[in-house]
């Protein structure tokens, strides 16, 4: 199953959530609390060293950057 690490107020996260919804793709929604610096934890930095949301995890594939994530989902 796809897991999306995102922040509810992020327009880039919204862009990915919108595409997932439009395509009807099931996904696990993991909210990253930026105010609590959850994007700077070692676990999150292992997925995205730039500490930015969103991050999509699909099995062994990890994709960051909303445009690249949406391109990945289109394929």
């Amino acid at each position: 199953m796809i897991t999306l690490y995102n922040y509810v107020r992020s327009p880039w996260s919204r862009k990915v959530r919108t595409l997932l919804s439009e395509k009807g793709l099931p996904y696990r929604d993991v909210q990253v609390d930026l105010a609590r610096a959850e994007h700077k934890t070692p676990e999150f930095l292992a997925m995205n060293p730039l500490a930015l949301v969103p991050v999509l995890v699909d099995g062994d594939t990890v994709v960051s950057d909303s445009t690249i994530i949406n391109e990945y989902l289109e394929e």
Side-chain angles (χ1 to χ4, degrees):
M1 171 171 280
I2 294 172
T3 302
L4 179 65
Y5 294 85
N6 69 106
Y7 180 63
V8 70
R9 292 183 177 167
S10 163
W12 300 279
S13 294
R14 185 178 319 115
K15 178 174 144 179
V16 175
R17 288 191 311 266
T18 299
L19 184 63
L20 285 163
S21 177
E22 287 175 354
K23 290 191 154 296
L25 296 171
Y27 68 99
R28 181 173 158 243
D29 181 36
V30 178
Q31 290 295 312
V32 178
D33 190 342
L34 302 183
R36 294 188 137 160
E38 291 178 354
H39 60 299
K40 295 185 179 180
T41 63
E43 296 81 16
F44 190 86
L45 290 172
M47 291 185 291
N48 185 354
L50 297 176
L52 300 172
V53 293
V55 174
L56 182 127
V57 178
D58 185 14
D60 293 332
T61 303
V62 179
V63 186
S64 58
D65 185 273
S66 60
T67 301
I68 304 301
I69 291 171
N70 283 356
E71 288 176 8
Y72 174 81
L73 292 171
E74 286 293 340
E75 291 176 10

